[in-house]
Amino acid sequence: MPPFPIARTSSREDVLFVPAMANRHGLITGATGTGKTVTLQMLTDRLSALGVPVFLADVKGDLAGLAVSGQAAPKLQERLARTGIAAPQWSANPVVFWDLFARRGLPLRATVSDMGPLLLGRLFDLNPTQQGVLALVFKIADDRGYLLLDLKDLRAMLQYVGNSAKEFRTAYGNVSTASIGTVQRALLELEQQGGDAFFGEPMLNVDDLLVTDTRGRGRVHVLSAEELIRAPKVYATFLLWLLSELFEQLPEVGDPDKPTLVFFFDEAHLLFEEAPPALVEKIEQVVRLIRSKGVGVYFVTQNPADVPEIVLGQLGNRVQHALRAFTPRDQKAVRVAAETLRPNPMLDTAKAISELAVGEALVSVLDEHGTPTIAQRAWIYPPASRIGPITAAEREAVRQANREFYGAYEQTIDRESAYEKLTGRTVARAGAAVDDAAPTPTPPQKTKAEPRIGGEAPSPPPPAERWPQPLAGDAGAAGSTLGGAFSDFLFGRTGPRGGHYQGALEAAGKSAARSVGSGIGRAILRGALGSILRSR
């Protein structure tokens, strides 16, 4: 596969990008408004034209222009004339819009089981103890055959494990109810942010990301992340999950002449902010090993310092746009960015970074032997698609065009999983408990039949005679019972086992005696002390 130009120096020399080295990953950095998005869009156009599928996240909404053919604006024509770059062949890309919330594209989902406890722990910001409890819940679900597909499945499983903590203690270890509550609160917070729309079925099939259109162009999958960026943990966790899925499912291809898929991670600093060491190690492992699957990963951020060094060392292709050095911290960031590029003896790299114009960059890419080229100051080639957003009508037309291929993702599937099984089990237990508590009906008592007179059964008594009527002396008995109770209250009573319970008068007498006794005692004591003190 022949290389293609991506930038041109002031001496009219082109900087060539080798497609066979695209899976060696890359980094696009620069301050806001310096041209990072245009560079990303240009690379996407060139890769799609070569038949390479691309996945990227549209954070600001301006990458939707990839779906529409571009045109030569007056400013662009002026730059092309100044740099000697030929105008591109304006064309659109076969774009598929995705959206976790299903508002601006096809819904994109993953199951809780495929996300796994590590990424969910990162999403919920759990400490090591809480992370262990979450892993334990996943283990119990696997052992019991409970599918964890959406958030209600995970919530039901957490409740089940919390209520049966004693049962699982011996086989799995202690289950902290406080940790269960923490995860439940995290689930509630995630639902309030709309994250529950991401978990469920049908789950994204990564094979659908690797197709081309009828012209042989690689499909460009644009994730609408304007709303998702407000929940940065959800955004970063999803993209990391997608990388993990690609790594697990794609076969080994070695070093192909062009990559299988190129993955652009915009706003990459969101992935690494406050990330625990275990998560950073997993990211480094995926980035290092996914190269052999033919996948190239490109991080797009403002400063190379946003990416940990252990990951930064894996990124071979570099495009550094301008950084403004207004403060000591900014000056330090410029020096760090200059040190990440292969030095050019004819160029002061640190000085050049702060002097770059919009659309200009320091470019260092891998040659055909995999060696980084020296950093060159050059103008980035323009993209062939439209620079900027598209209208709602154009977006809907693109969505309708892809309905034939990706329409199956629009319908939500809710099959029997942990929630249905556990709630059905609870209902069955509740029904059995109600049956056990219900009183057994008493069979009717048989009465002795009265002898018939004259062959006829005696007529039943009138209603008033069916129940015993009070006798004339019952009123007196009731009065004596009331009097006895009043007497017991005043004078006390003796229980059936010989115990004596004092009455109100006896209790009052004892209290008065204690008061008199304590008063006399105090008086005697005061008198004795007084006489002693007077004698002294």
Side-chain angles (χ1 to χ4, degrees):
M1 188 70 64
F4 57 85
I6 61 172
R8 176 166 290 189
T9 65
S10 57
S11 58
R12 305 294 177 92
E13 295 180 1
D14 286 335
V15 179
L16 300 179
F17 188 87
V18 181
M21 295 296 154
N23 63 339
R24 304 299 177 92
H25 314 313
L27 179 68
I28 303 174
T29 52
T32 301
T34 57
K36 298 192 304 297
T37 302
V38 176
T39 301
L40 187 158
Q41 188 170 343
M42 179 271 299
L43 287 174
T44 301
D45 287 342
R46 300 301 177 91
L47 292 169
S48 176
L50 295 177
V52 178
V54 178
F55 187 96
L56 50 88
D58 188 8
V59 176
K60 299 181 289 293
D62 48 3
L63 286 176
L66 287 163
V68 182
S69 178
Q71 58 184 357
K75 288 186 178 181
L76 180 59
Q77 290 179 344
E78 179 185 352
R79 177 175 297 178
L80 294 177
R82 186 174 66 253
T83 58
I85 299 175
Q89 296 181 355
W90 307 110
S91 61
N93 297 287
V95 172
V96 180
F97 289 111
W98 300 90
D99 187 0
L100 264 65
F101 305 109
R103 299 188 183 116
R104 300 170 63 85
L106 297 172
L108 203 160
R109 303 182 185 91
T111 63
V112 173
S113 296
D114 283 283
M115 181 67 72
L118 178 61
L119 294 183
L120 283 176
R122 154 70 173 150
L123 179 62
F124 297 154
D125 196 18
L126 303 180
N127 60 33
T129 302
Q130 297 161 354
Q131 179 77 48
V133 171
L134 183 60
L136 184 148
V137 171
F138 272 75
K139 174 62 176 173
I140 295 174
D142 292 339
D143 294 344
R144 299 297 176 96
Y146 295 146
L147 294 177
L148 300 179
L149 302 180
D150 48 25
L151 290 188
K152 69 177 185 296
D153 292 330
L154 182 56
R155 181 182 295 106
M157 195 67 200
L158 286 166
Q159 183 178 358
Y160 168 61
V161 173
N163 294 338
S164 307
K166 294 182 179 179
E167 177 185 348
F168 299 120
R169 182 177 303 166
T170 304
Y172 300 94
N174 291 332
V175 179
S176 171
T177 55
S179 298
I180 294 289
T182 301
V183 179
Q184 292 280 32
R185 289 191 297 271
L187 286 176
L188 179 61
E189 181 181 359
L190 181 62
E191 286 183 344
Q192 291 176 346
Q193 295 179 3
D196 56 335
F198 168 59
F199 294 97
E201 288 185 317
M203 189 180 71
L204 174 67
N205 185 0
V206 296
D207 291 336
D208 291 337
L209 302 179
L210 309 177
V211 298
T212 58
D213 69 348
T214 55
R215 300 174 296 168
R217 294 181 63 101
R219 289 194 179 272
V220 178
H221 303 270
V222 179
L223 173 64
S224 298
E226 299 95 322
E227 298 181 14
L228 186 60
I229 200 66
R230 301 173 187 172
K233 288 185 179 180
V234 180
Y235 168 73
T237 304
F238 161 73
L239 294 181
L240 182 57
W241 165 81
L242 184 55
L243 272 182
S244 301
E245 284 292 306
L246 291 170
F247 172 69
E248 293 177 1
Q249 298 190 26
L250 294 183
E252 296 279 344
V253 295
D255 291 319
D257 58 350
K258 63 179 181 180
T260 306
L261 175 72
V262 172
F263 187 97
F264 288 98
F265 200 128
D266 201 4
E267 300 295 336
H269 65 280
L270 299 175
L271 177 62
F272 301 105
E273 283 183 351
E274 300 179 359
L279 184 63
V280 175
E281 183 180 354
K282 180 176 177 60
I283 298 172
E284 188 269 340
Q285 179 187 18
V286 171
V287 171
R288 177 165 46 85
L289 299 178
I290 205 172
R291 178 197 63 80
S292 62
K293 307 295 183 80
V295 178
V297 180
Y298 288 73
F299 295 96
V300 184
T301 186
Q302 294 193 5
N303 196 302
D306 296 335
V307 182
E309 293 184 3
I310 192 173
V311 178
L312 195 63
Q314 305 293 329
L315 312 180
N317 302 291
R318 307 287 182 91
V319 178
Q320 175 64 62
H321 287 274
L323 290 175
R324 307 311 179 192
F326 298 120
T327 64
R329 183 178 180 181
D330 294 339
Q331 295 172 4
K332 181 180 179 181
V334 170
R335 290 194 298 270
V336 171
E339 293 172 356
T340 61
L341 299 172
R342 181 180 174 181
N344 186 345
M346 305 299 295
L347 181 67
D348 186 350
T349 309
K351 183 178 179 181
I353 289 177
S354 59
E355 295 176 351
L356 294 171
V358 177
E360 194 179 13
L362 293 179
V363 184
S364 174
V365 295
L366 300 177
D367 60 15
E368 61 274 8
H369 304 292
T371 304
T373 60
I374 60 175
Q376 300 184 68
R377 185 171 180 174
W379 292 93
I380 300 298
Y381 268 64
S385 55
R386 180 189 297 179
I387 300 176
I390 61 176
T391 63
E394 292 172 329
R395 181 184 290 269
E396 182 60 26
V398 172
R399 182 173 181 175
Q400 293 297 329
N402 293 308
R403 187 180 294 273
E404 179 182 355
F405 303 99
Y406 302 97
Y409 289 103
E410 293 184 334
Q411 301 296 328
T412 304
I413 300 176
D414 188 10
R415 58 186 174 130
E416 186 181 26
S417 52
Y419 173 77
E420 286 77 14
K421 289 186 177 181
L422 291 175
T423 53
R425 181 178 180 180
T426 302
V427 170
R429 286 185 174 180
V434 170
D435 293 340
D436 293 341
T440 304
T442 304
Q445 299 292 332
K446 295 183 178 180
T447 56
K448 186 177 180 180
E450 297 182 6
R452 298 185 178 183
I453 301 175
E456 296 181 1
S459 59
E465 298 178 1
R466 293 183 183 179
W467 304 100
Q469 301 297 320
L471 301 176
D474 284 351
S480 62
T481 302
L482 180 60
F486 184 70
S487 174
D488 292 342
F489 172 74
L490 291 179
F491 303 104
R493 62 184 179 86
T494 300
R497 297 184 181 181
H500 180 70
Y501 300 90
Q502 62 183 5
L505 294 180
E506 185 178 0
K510 289 184 178 181
S511 175
R514 283 195 299 267
S515 301
V516 172
S518 59
I520 295 174
R522 285 194 298 270
I524 294 174
L525 182 60
R526 286 197 299 269
L529 291 176
S531 61
I532 294 173
L533 292 176
R534 282 196 299 272
S535 64
R536 289 186 178 180

